[in-house]
Amino acid sequence: EVVLKDALSNLDKKLKQYNLRLVCREGEDSSTMLREICNECAASAVYWNKEHTTESRIREEKYRSVLQEIDVQSIECQSSLLYDPSSPSLAAGFHGGHWGTLMPFKRTCEKQLGMPRRPIPRADTFFMLERMKGPNEWPASKDVEGLNIAMINGNEEWDKPIFDRFPMSEDDAVANMNTFFQHGFAKYERDRSRADIDWSTSKLSAHLRIGSLSSNELYYKIEDSNLDYNDRKTFSRRLIWRDLAYFHLNSFPMMRDTSIRLHYEQTEWLSGEEEDARFNAWKTGNTGYPLVDSGMRELWKTGWMTQSVRMVVASFLVEYLRVNWVRGAKWFHYTLVDADSAINSMMWQNAGRSGIDQWNFIMSPVAASQDASGEYTKKWCPELSKLPKAVLHKPWEAPTQVLQAAGVVLGETYPIRIISDLKAERSKSVEAVLKMRRANQESNSDRGYDMITLPDGKRTVVFTKKEFRIDPRGNVIKEATQSKKSSSGISKVKVGKGRGRKGKKALQKKLLRQEAAGKK
C-alpha cells in the first residue's frame, strides 16, 4: 500500500502537468462508483488494463455488465504482461519440458501469439497527453493523501525506509532501469544471486507490479542491448517467468492457498506451539541462522529482498522448519512492496513442492554463497558484524574467545539456532512427502511422477524430484547409484534418466560447484 499510494500521488502530479486530474473514490463496490463517474462525465468509453488475477476477472465482468447497461463502450487493454495468460494453449504431457514449465510456455507463446509487442514510443504518449482535454466539470474526487491506504499510526515512520528505497513514479522507474543497465545488466548472469553486491539485480519488480514500468519496454530494452544472447537470456526470461506465474494463476485460481497438486494438501506439516514458535522466529529474523535472519529483517524493514535470498528463506521454512508454505506465502504477500498474487504464490508452491515446477534443489541456510563478502549479513545482523567471515554465517561454530572478542553472546545478543540438526529435519520433510505420495498412488505415473488434472479435464505428468519418485509398491525409484569418491574427490555415479543434466561429465561439474559452495 505504501508504494501504491506513492505511485498514485506521482501519477496525479504528472497528470496535472497536462491540465488533467486523477479522480479517486473509495467504497464497497467499485462497479457502482464507475457507473456514477460515467454518468457525471457523460463518458462514451472506459479503458482499463486487465489485471489477470482471480478477483480482477470477477470485477471486470461486473464492469462490462454495468457499462453495457448505461451504453458505455468498454475497452480492455493488455499491457501489464507480455502475453495475456488466458491466450496460450499448452498441450498436456512432456514437450521439450514438462507441462507448465518455462521453456514449453515460452515456445508456445511465441508460436501461437508471436513475439511480445513493441511499446508505443514514450514521445507519442506525451504528445497524446498534450492533446487530451478533461471534462468541463471534473467529478468529485478524494485527495490521494486522504485515501484509506498505508495509514501511519503512532510515531514510528515505518514507511520511510520503503519510500527511500522505492520512490514510485514513472520517472523513478526509468531512472532505476537505466542505472541497472549501466551498472548491473552486463554482470547479471554472473552476479544475480549475490545479495552483497549493489545492482546485482534490477530492483524493478515493484515498478512492474505497480505499473510505473511497462514489461514490454523492459523486454525490448533487454533485446535491443548489445549483449550476446547467452549473456542476456536469463534476465530476459525473468519476464517470461512473470507471465508463466499468471498462466498458472489463470489455470488454477485457488493456487494462492491451495496446492496445485491437490493430493499434496494431505502432506503432514509441523503444527501446534512448535510450529508457531518456528514461524514467529522465521518471520522476525530470529532463527539463529544469520543469512535467513538477514533476509527476513530486510524484508520487514524495506519490503524487499533479492530473489536468491527469498529462495533461501522459503526453502528454510519449508524444508527445515517444516512449516506449511501457505504461511510463508501470506507473510510475503503482507510485507513485500512487489507483492504479486501470481508470482509470490508460484514461488511458494514450488518451494512447498506442490507447484507445477517443484524445486529441484535445496538452498543451504549456511553456505551463504549469496553473501560471499559477508557485508549483507553485517548490515542486517549488526550484532554479528565483528565476527570473522569464516564463522559469520555459522556463529555456533566460533570458539568462545572469538565470540567474546566480537561481543557476541549466543542466546542473549543473538539467538540460539531454532533447530540444530538440519539433516534430521530435512529427513522428516522428505518422509512426510513420501508418506503422502504412497497414500495417493492414483496420482502417480508409471515412472513415479506426479499426475495432475488440468482445467480442461485432461491429466498430465508434472516434474517430480527424484527423491519423491515411487513405484506402485511405494518404493523410491533408484535412478542413480553413488560409488566411492575417486582420488580427485569427485563422486563417480551411474546416471539414469533425469531432468536437464545429461551424462557423467555434467553431473561431475555440478558436484564440483556444490562442493565449492559448501553443499553436500
Side-chain angles (χ1 to χ4, degrees), residues 2 176 273 286 320 323 381 454 513:
V2 170
N176 185 329
E273 292 182 1
N286 286 290
Y320 297 112
V323 173
C381 292
L454 299 177
R513 288 197 299 271

PDB file of all heavy atoms in Angstrom, residues 2 176 273 286 320 323 381 454 513:
ATOM      1  N   VAL A   2       2.041   1.200   0.642  1.00  0.00           N
ATOM      2  CA  VAL A   2       2.919   2.371   0.696  1.00  0.00           C
ATOM      3  C   VAL A   2       3.341   2.781  -0.703  1.00  0.00           C
ATOM      4  O   VAL A   2       3.249   3.953  -1.089  1.00  0.00           O
ATOM      5  CB  VAL A   2       4.159   2.086   1.573  1.00  0.00           C
ATOM      6  CG1 VAL A   2       5.177   3.202   1.443  1.00  0.00           C
ATOM      7  CG2 VAL A   2       3.744   1.926   3.030  1.00  0.00           C
ATOM      8  N   ASN A 176      15.718   4.068 -12.556  1.00  0.00           N
ATOM      9  CA  ASN A 176      16.136   2.793 -11.973  1.00  0.00           C
ATOM     10  C   ASN A 176      16.588   1.833 -13.071  1.00  0.00           C
ATOM     11  O   ASN A 176      17.650   1.199 -12.970  1.00  0.00           O
ATOM     12  CB  ASN A 176      14.963   2.198 -11.187  1.00  0.00           C
ATOM     13  CG  ASN A 176      15.322   0.938 -10.433  1.00  0.00           C
ATOM     14  OD1 ASN A 176      16.169   0.151 -10.815  1.00  0.00           O
ATOM     15  ND2 ASN A 176      14.620   0.704  -9.346  1.00  0.00           N
ATOM     16  N   GLU A 273       2.148 -25.477  19.011  1.00  0.00           N
ATOM     17  CA  GLU A 273       3.018 -24.440  19.568  1.00  0.00           C
ATOM     18  C   GLU A 273       4.395 -24.420  18.917  1.00  0.00           C
ATOM     19  O   GLU A 273       4.987 -23.365  18.724  1.00  0.00           O
ATOM     20  CB  GLU A 273       3.153 -24.649  21.084  1.00  0.00           C
ATOM     21  CG  GLU A 273       1.866 -24.400  21.868  1.00  0.00           C
ATOM     22  CD  GLU A 273       2.061 -24.568  23.359  1.00  0.00           C
ATOM     23  OE1 GLU A 273       3.204 -24.856  23.779  1.00  0.00           O
ATOM     24  OE2 GLU A 273       1.071 -24.406  24.114  1.00  0.00           O
ATOM     25  N   ASN A 286      14.805 -14.159  13.646  1.00  0.00           N
ATOM     26  CA  ASN A 286      15.439 -14.597  14.889  1.00  0.00           C
ATOM     27  C   ASN A 286      15.586 -16.116  14.940  1.00  0.00           C
ATOM     28  O   ASN A 286      15.344 -16.742  15.972  1.00  0.00           O
ATOM     29  CB  ASN A 286      14.627 -14.114  16.101  1.00  0.00           C
ATOM     30  CG  ASN A 286      14.784 -12.627  16.348  1.00  0.00           C
ATOM     31  OD1 ASN A 286      15.845 -12.167  16.765  1.00  0.00           O
ATOM     32  ND2 ASN A 286      13.728 -11.872  16.075  1.00  0.00           N
ATOM     33  N   TYR A 320      13.303 -27.223   6.317  1.00  0.00           N
ATOM     34  CA  TYR A 320      13.949 -27.443   7.611  1.00  0.00           C
ATOM     35  C   TYR A 320      13.033 -27.146   8.804  1.00  0.00           C
ATOM     36  O   TYR A 320      13.035 -27.890   9.782  1.00  0.00           O
ATOM     37  CB  TYR A 320      15.222 -26.605   7.707  1.00  0.00           C
ATOM     38  CG  TYR A 320      16.261 -26.996   6.673  1.00  0.00           C
ATOM     39  CD1 TYR A 320      16.600 -26.125   5.642  1.00  0.00           C
ATOM     40  CD2 TYR A 320      16.881 -28.233   6.722  1.00  0.00           C
ATOM     41  CE1 TYR A 320      17.553 -26.477   4.693  1.00  0.00           C
ATOM     42  CE2 TYR A 320      17.835 -28.598   5.781  1.00  0.00           C
ATOM     43  CZ  TYR A 320      18.168 -27.719   4.760  1.00  0.00           C
ATOM     44  OH  TYR A 320      19.095 -28.083   3.825  1.00  0.00           O
ATOM     45  N   VAL A 323       7.296 -25.912   8.157  1.00  0.00           N
ATOM     46  CA  VAL A 323       6.079 -25.107   8.288  1.00  0.00           C
ATOM     47  C   VAL A 323       5.407 -25.015   6.922  1.00  0.00           C
ATOM     48  O   VAL A 323       6.080 -24.819   5.900  1.00  0.00           O
ATOM     49  CB  VAL A 323       6.409 -23.698   8.826  1.00  0.00           C
ATOM     50  CG1 VAL A 323       5.176 -22.803   8.803  1.00  0.00           C
ATOM     51  CG2 VAL A 323       6.964 -23.796  10.244  1.00  0.00           C
ATOM     52  N   CYS A 381      22.342  -7.968  10.341  1.00  0.00           N
ATOM     53  CA  CYS A 381      22.564  -8.539  11.678  1.00  0.00           C
ATOM     54  C   CYS A 381      23.792  -7.863  12.273  1.00  0.00           C
ATOM     55  O   CYS A 381      24.855  -8.491  12.437  1.00  0.00           O
ATOM     56  CB  CYS A 381      22.773 -10.055  11.605  1.00  0.00           C
ATOM     57  SG  CYS A 381      21.308 -10.983  11.124  1.00  0.00           S
ATOM     58  N   LEU A 454      -5.714 -30.943 -15.414  1.00  0.00           N
ATOM     59  CA  LEU A 454      -5.681 -29.599 -15.978  1.00  0.00           C
ATOM     60  C   LEU A 454      -7.085 -29.010 -16.035  1.00  0.00           C
ATOM     61  O   LEU A 454      -8.081 -29.746 -15.896  1.00  0.00           O
ATOM     62  CB  LEU A 454      -5.052 -29.636 -17.371  1.00  0.00           C
ATOM     63  CG  LEU A 454      -3.609 -30.146 -17.430  1.00  0.00           C
ATOM     64  CD1 LEU A 454      -3.112 -30.201 -18.875  1.00  0.00           C
ATOM     65  CD2 LEU A 454      -2.701 -29.274 -16.581  1.00  0.00           C
ATOM     66  N   ARG A 513      30.659 -27.771  -8.324  1.00  0.00           N
ATOM     67  CA  ARG A 513      30.091 -26.473  -7.958  1.00  0.00           C
ATOM     68  C   ARG A 513      29.482 -26.535  -6.567  1.00  0.00           C
ATOM     69  O   ARG A 513      29.605 -25.618  -5.767  1.00  0.00           O
ATOM     70  CB  ARG A 513      29.044 -26.031  -8.973  1.00  0.00           C
ATOM     71  CG  ARG A 513      29.617 -25.595 -10.308  1.00  0.00           C
ATOM     72  CD  ARG A 513      28.586 -24.804 -11.093  1.00  0.00           C
ATOM     73  NE  ARG A 513      27.393 -25.595 -11.382  1.00  0.00           N
ATOM     74  CZ  ARG A 513      27.255 -26.355 -12.460  1.00  0.00           C
ATOM     75  NH1 ARG A 513      28.238 -26.449 -13.337  1.00  0.00           N
ATOM     76  NH2 ARG A 513      26.137 -27.039 -12.674  1.00  0.00           N
TER      77      ARG A 513
END
